[in-house]
């Protein structure tokens, strides 16, 4: 896949087909899957929402592996009931992704039948979390000031992506002139939990 194809992707099957997905750290694989569900949150079944929230809390150190495994078992029971209905709608697909988020393998099973909004959610999540896999960007330590870190942490904790332009201004004040970083912060988005710029500022892998 070329960088141009990556920047313009909109295929809902890409999680399963994208070679780069297998090279992502497990944290980023989880973040991508959680982000897809978050972007389609109103369609996510209740038990799957609990699973996604537990995965996110696990990534941030707020819950233990034991609690994550318990949520996974409860999710599996609820998902089996969905499977038994033989309905393969978005609720089923998103419930499946939530299950994958607990134990993300190198590949995620391709789920056919995504509508346009769902395909766009997949594309948004992949681009916002994984941009640095096509463009090597090194964060200058000088750009990590108490101000930029504080703003980035607030965005991360509160999912306050409306503050991204503020982060851009703070980074620029700290000496950052990297066009990719500043344009991403000031762009229309949408951004997701695990946004590559926020993670760079916070030093997350």
């Amino acid at each position: 896949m070329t960088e141009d194809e990556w920047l313009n992707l909109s295929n809902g099957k890409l999680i399963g087909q994208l070679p780069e997905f297998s090279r992502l750290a497990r944290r980023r694989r989880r973040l991508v899957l959680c982000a897809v569900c978050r972007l389609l949150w109103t369609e996510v079944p209740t038990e799957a929402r609990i699973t996604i929230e537990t995965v996110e809390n696990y990534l941030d150190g707020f819950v233990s592996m034991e609690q994550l495994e318990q949520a996974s078992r409860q999710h599996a029971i609820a998902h089996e009931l969905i499977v038994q209905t033989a309905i393969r709608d978005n609720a089923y697909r998103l419930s499946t992704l939530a299950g994958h988020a607990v134990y993300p393998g190198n590949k995620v099973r391709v789920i056919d039948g995504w509508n346009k909004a769902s395909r766009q959610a997949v594309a948004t999540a992949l681009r916002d979390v994984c941009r640095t896999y096509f463009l090597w960007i090194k964060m200058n330590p000088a750009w990590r000031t108490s101000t930029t870190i504080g703003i980035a942490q607030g965005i991360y904790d509160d999912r306050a992506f409306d503050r991204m332009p503020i982060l851009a201004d703070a980074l620029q004040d700290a000496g950052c002139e990297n066009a990719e970083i500043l344009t991403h912060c000031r762009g229309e988005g949408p951004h997701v939990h695990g946004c590559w710029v926020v993670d760079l500022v916070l030093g997350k892998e």
Side-chain angles (χ1 to χ4, degrees):
M1 177 178 289
T2 66
E3 182 176 3
D4 184 64
E5 289 171 334
W6 167 259
L7 291 172
N8 293 286
L9 60 88
S10 62
N11 190 330
K13 297 181 180 181
L14 278 167
I15 284 182
Q17 296 175 341
L18 186 69
E20 284 72 20
F21 189 76
S22 67
R23 298 204 295 267
L24 296 178
R26 284 173 67 85
R27 173 179 175 271
R28 290 205 173 274
R29 287 184 226 161
R30 283 177 164 134
L31 285 170
V32 168
L33 299 175
C34 289
V36 173
C37 290
R38 283 284 185 179
L39 290 167
L40 301 166
W41 200 239
T42 59
E43 301 179 60
V44 178
T46 300
E47 201 64 51
R49 290 188 187 191
I50 295 172
T51 302
I52 291 300
E53 290 168 346
T54 305
V55 170
E56 292 169 339
N57 285 327
Y58 171 75
L59 292 176
D60 290 334
F62 299 135
V63 303
S64 65
M65 174 59 77
E66 182 180 353
Q67 290 171 300
L68 179 63
E69 291 174 345
Q70 180 181 2
S72 177
R73 289 191 294 270
Q74 293 172 337
H75 171 81
I77 294 171
H79 184 68
E80 183 59 29
L81 293 175
I82 296 176
V83 172
Q84 290 174 6
T85 65
I87 297 175
R88 299 297 186 261
D89 57 5
N90 262 20
Y92 161 78
R93 298 181 185 97
L94 292 166
S95 179
T96 300
L97 288 191
H100 281 303
V102 179
Y103 300 112
N106 290 338
K107 289 188 177 181
V108 172
R109 183 177 58 180
V110 173
I111 303 172
D112 294 323
W114 288 104
N115 58 28
K116 183 177 180 180
S118 299
R119 293 196 302 271
Q120 188 57 51
V122 172
T124 294
L126 284 167
R127 278 197 293 259
D128 202 52
V129 174
C130 310
R131 176 65 176 121
T132 50
Y133 277 78
F134 272 98
L135 183 69
W136 175 252
I137 297 176
K138 186 175 181 180
M139 177 62 68
N140 188 324
W143 303 342
R144 289 194 178 107
T145 66
S146 59
T147 299
T148 59
I149 291 174
I151 294 171
Q153 192 66 59
I155 292 172
Y156 185 89
D157 292 342
D158 301 337
R159 300 178 188 276
F161 300 113
D162 59 314
R163 302 176 198 165
M164 292 294 291
I166 299 175
L167 177 60
D169 292 343
L171 285 167
Q172 200 162 24
D173 288 344
C176 174
E177 294 297 337
N178 185 288
E180 283 282 344
I181 290 176
L182 299 178
T183 299
H184 187 75
C185 289
R186 290 169 175 153
E188 295 181 0
H191 300 279
V192 300
H193 201 55
C195 168
W196 66 270
V197 172
V198 174
D199 270 18
L200 275 178
V201 175
L202 296 179
K204 294 182 179 292
E205 294 297 330

